[in-house]
Amino acid sequence: MVSKEENILFAAEKLFAEKGFEGTSTREISKAANVNISMISYYFGSKEKLYEKLVEYRMNEGQFFSKDILERTDINEWEKIEKIVDQFLGRVRHHKCFYRIMQREQLHTENPQIVEFLKQTKMGFISMYSQVLESGLKKGIFTKNPPIYLLHATVSGTLFYASNAKEMYKEFLNDTADDEIFDEKYYTELNKHIKYLLKDLLGYEENK
């Protein structure tokens, strides 16, 4: 069940992605969420606080899965990397509105709260990759030790650029498939491509 608070957050998310923070009014949000405008003040206090809460909500979702992966003992370090890529790609694919907002924020944000959220999330991913890489090197699963910050940049940069350019690539390929079918094929290929890059960067050999 989606709570009233989450209903408002999700309605606002779509509008912020489409129109930006400044271009979205609380009246539009209340209409999209089908609630009285006073409910926004009741739950969040202001549009700014609603925006910050949305960022915090989505960022926290992402941190939960990474902690679970790190603590697993039934898979090796390469398999953990695969799980991280699967989860990250899945989130970008299914939460397109939020990641469109975040990419805009990385370029233009002046909100110190959001700047801190973004920083902590990036640091969390870098720390996660670092732990997996260090452990994998010790066990001989990985044979290369790339700069960890560039490893994260490779994954996130490739993922976000490819996600943003999906429609252009569909046109380039002259692919007339239904959007949902193309979407599935596109993200499956993107997933494989990122893992292929990481295998080379980490020096991982499957049949070693």
Side-chain angles (χ1 to χ4, degrees):
M1 283 290 290
V2 175
S3 68
K4 287 184 179 180
E5 186 177 3
E6 288 173 326
N7 178 49
I8 295 170
L9 284 175
F10 300 156
E13 182 176 48
K14 291 178 182 178
L15 289 167
F16 288 145
E18 180 185 345
K19 300 185 172 187
F21 176 77
E22 296 297 339
T24 302
S25 69
T26 52
R27 189 170 299 280
E28 286 175 308
I29 295 169
S30 66
K31 183 178 179 182
N34 197 27
V35 298
N36 191 290
I37 196 168
S38 63
M39 296 297 286
I40 293 175
S41 297
Y42 175 77
Y43 282 113
F44 306 101
S46 66
K47 186 175 77 166
E48 288 77 10
K49 292 299 179 185
L50 188 162
Y51 195 62
E52 290 173 8
K53 183 66 178 179
L54 170 63
V55 174
E56 182 182 13
Y57 180 92
R58 290 298 192 201
M59 293 294 193
N60 284 339
E61 281 183 331
Q63 293 301 312
F64 292 147
F65 83 75
S66 59
K67 188 173 183 294
D68 290 342
I69 292 171
L70 284 178
E71 292 175 351
R72 288 183 62 172
T73 57
D74 60 318
I75 56 177
N76 69 24
E77 280 69 18
W78 170 250
E79 291 168 321
K80 289 182 180 181
I81 291 287
E82 288 189 303
K83 294 287 185 189
I84 291 167
V85 172
D86 290 343
Q87 294 272 14
F88 194 9
L89 185 143
R91 285 187 57 74
V92 172
R93 178 183 176 184
H94 297 296
H95 295 296
K96 292 183 179 74
C97 287
F98 177 68
Y99 284 99
R100 191 177 302 142
I101 293 167
M102 285 302 91
Q103 288 173 75
R104 188 186 298 140
E105 284 298 325
Q106 289 188 74
L107 295 174
H108 304 296
T109 190
E110 295 179 1
N111 183 316
Q113 188 76 22
I114 292 178
V115 168
E116 186 60 25
F117 282 141
L118 289 169
K119 175 185 168 186
Q120 291 304 319
T121 301
K122 289 177 184 176
M123 294 294 279
F125 269 106
I126 291 171
S127 174
M128 177 171 59
Y129 287 125
S130 183
Q131 290 179 58
V132 176
L133 178 56
E134 184 179 351
S135 178
L137 285 167
K138 284 180 180 177
K139 295 176 182 178
I141 293 171
F142 304 135
T143 60
K144 296 179 184 177
N145 188 12
I148 205 68
Y149 59 93
L150 292 179
L151 191 74
H152 174 59
T154 297
V155 175
S156 58
T158 302
L159 181 50
F160 289 134
Y161 185 91
S163 183
N164 289 335
K166 181 169 69 76
E167 295 306 319
M168 180 189 72
Y169 290 141
K170 188 174 191 293
E171 184 179 336
F172 171 76
L173 294 167
N174 196 27
D175 194 310
T176 57
D178 178 85
D179 283 346
E180 194 172 324
I181 294 172
F182 180 77
D183 206 59
E184 182 65 32
K185 180 173 70 174
Y186 186 77
Y187 281 101
T188 297
E189 290 179 352
L190 178 56
N191 186 303
K192 289 178 182 177
H193 179 70
I194 291 173
K195 289 174 183 175
Y196 178 81
L197 291 175
L198 291 174
K199 279 183 182 179
D200 187 55
L201 287 169
L202 296 169
Y204 173 74
E205 297 178 24
E206 265 179 294
N207 300 315
K208 189 175 174 183

